Amino acid sequence: MQERITLPDWDTLAELDDESLPLLPTALLIARDEYPALDPTVYDATVQAHVDHLRAEVEIIPSPPLKMAAINRHLFDELGYSGDHDEYYDPRNSYLNEVFERRLGNPISLALVQMEVARRLGIALDGVSFPGHFLVRLPMEEGMLVMDPFNGGRPLGVEELRERASSHLGGQRPDDQVLAQILDAAPSRAILMRMLRNLQGVYAENHQWDRAARSADRLLKLAPENDDALRDRGLAYLKLEYLAGARRDLGRYVQRNPDAGDAQALREKLVDLGGPRTRLH
């Protein structure tokens, strides 16, 4: 019988260090906000079925890159996991239950599936918070294998990585040192926060302010000192006409960031809201 997995509690996440923060269970916890009936055991079992199918094959392959090739072939070619190129910003691409059901996702959700399967097979696959699309990396004795989960786990060479990064660096191609920093392994908290920022951005773009506020609130559960999430929750509260919450969040944001580029505009909003003037200085 499949052992039931336990999802963490939102109110305990801030206390956990990155090594203790469970990646798959917390990603499923994010999904449970939108799908309250979600049974995490079903999706943990899905991952384990992928692992069990691969184990005998992977164990006899000598080199880590060839092991990853076998994993990628099974996930992307045989099972059909794929990047959703047609509806990239569909929120379902960020919810792991939907990713498992539809076999469609965005770069970070597909990376999480790939990482979870590889790690259960003893392969230390890391996430990379690359600018633009999230990637994965496999450290090796002779260097590093970087792959694109949104495009079937395709390996990426150094020049392509430089080119991809340059479009987010004002056209400047990163040198070896900068590229190595960009390719640092992303800790679990950073991965989960990027998932939530994606959701918050999609919901704000679609004027779904209740869900945008929820996503920002969950970000603050992971990182209580995240000022951008505090501001974004306050602005979503304002759209929802939850004025007490908007005054509280926006006032705290301005207090913490008096010289921010948006601070003056938010001060004016607070005046319009009748917020305490002591918060505005």
Side-chain angles (χ1 to χ4, degrees):
M1 179 180 293
Q2 175 71 28
E3 182 179 348
R4 298 189 66 84
I5 69 168
T6 302
L7 298 189
D9 185 284
W10 279 113
D11 291 329
T12 67
L13 295 181
E15 304 166 6
L16 299 178
D17 59 29
D18 286 328
E19 289 70 28
S20 304
L21 190 61
L23 188 55
L24 178 68
T26 308
L28 290 171
L29 182 66
I30 291 170
R32 182 175 269 181
D33 277 339
E34 186 67 15
Y35 303 89
L38 179 152
D39 181 356
T41 302
V42 170
Y43 303 105
D44 182 69
T46 299
V47 173
Q48 193 57 45
H50 299 344
V51 171
D52 292 343
H53 178 89
L54 283 160
R55 189 178 303 281
E57 178 185 4
V58 167
E59 283 181 349
I60 63 172
I61 296 174
S63 78
L66 292 178
K67 290 177 186 286
M68 276 309 311
I71 292 170
N72 290 340
R73 184 169 57 252
H74 183 57
L75 291 179
F76 299 113
D77 296 339
E78 296 171 6
L79 295 177
Y81 284 96
S82 175
D84 191 346
H85 294 267
D86 295 328
E87 298 290 342
Y88 185 87
Y89 294 105
D90 188 327
R92 293 178 296 177
N93 291 327
S94 288
Y95 291 123
L96 273 194
N97 60 318
E98 289 281 7
V99 175
F100 285 123
E101 297 285 354
R102 300 167 66 232
R103 305 284 167 91
L104 285 173
N106 59 24
I108 197 165
S109 63
L110 292 169
L112 201 150
V113 173
Q114 194 182 16
M115 290 162 60
E116 190 70 19
V117 170
R119 288 175 175 182
R120 292 190 189 191
L121 288 165
I123 301 166
L125 192 65
D126 296 319
V128 177
S129 283
F130 203 80
H133 281 186
F134 196 87
L135 303 174
V136 295
R137 63 169 222 176
L138 178 66
M140 302 181 297
E141 290 183 5
E142 62 276 20
M144 183 187 304
L145 174 64
V146 180
M147 292 165 282
D148 180 358
F150 192 66
N151 290 291
R154 182 171 69 84
L156 302 174
V158 172
E159 289 309 309
E160 183 173 356
L161 290 167
R162 289 192 209 279
E163 188 65 31
R164 287 191 180 201
S166 69
S167 63
H168 300 273
L169 299 173
Q172 184 174 359
R173 291 170 67 83
D175 59 21
D176 289 348
Q177 182 177 0
V178 172
L179 186 59
Q181 291 173 346
I182 293 173
L183 291 172
D184 274 348
S188 294
R189 192 177 309 275
I191 295 172
L192 295 161
M193 290 177 66
R194 186 158 170 170
M195 292 182 76
L196 285 165
R197 281 195 299 269
N198 287 345
L199 283 167
Q200 193 273 329
V202 167
Y203 286 136
E205 182 71 20
N206 293 331
H207 298 170
Q208 294 178 274
W209 299 113
D210 54 342
R211 289 178 167 89
R214 181 184 70 199
S215 300
D217 180 74
R218 294 320 198 188
L219 273 163
L220 289 165
K221 295 292 189 183
L222 280 166
E225 301 305 315
N226 188 290
D227 288 341
D228 286 349
L230 182 66
R231 176 202 59 210
D232 292 342
R233 187 177 68 178
L235 291 171
Y237 283 162
L238 186 58
K239 294 289 188 179
L240 293 167
E241 299 186 356
Y242 174 34
L243 302 187
R247 281 195 294 265
R248 181 189 65 236
D249 284 356
L250 297 179
R252 287 174 61 198
Y253 175 82
V254 169
Q255 276 188 324
R256 293 182 186 178
N257 304 275
D259 300 320
D262 55 3
Q264 183 56 39
L266 293 177
R267 289 188 185 97
E268 293 170 5
K269 287 184 185 294
L270 283 165
V271 170
D272 292 340
L273 288 169
R277 291 186 180 274
T278 55
R279 289 186 174 180
L280 308 184
H281 301 293

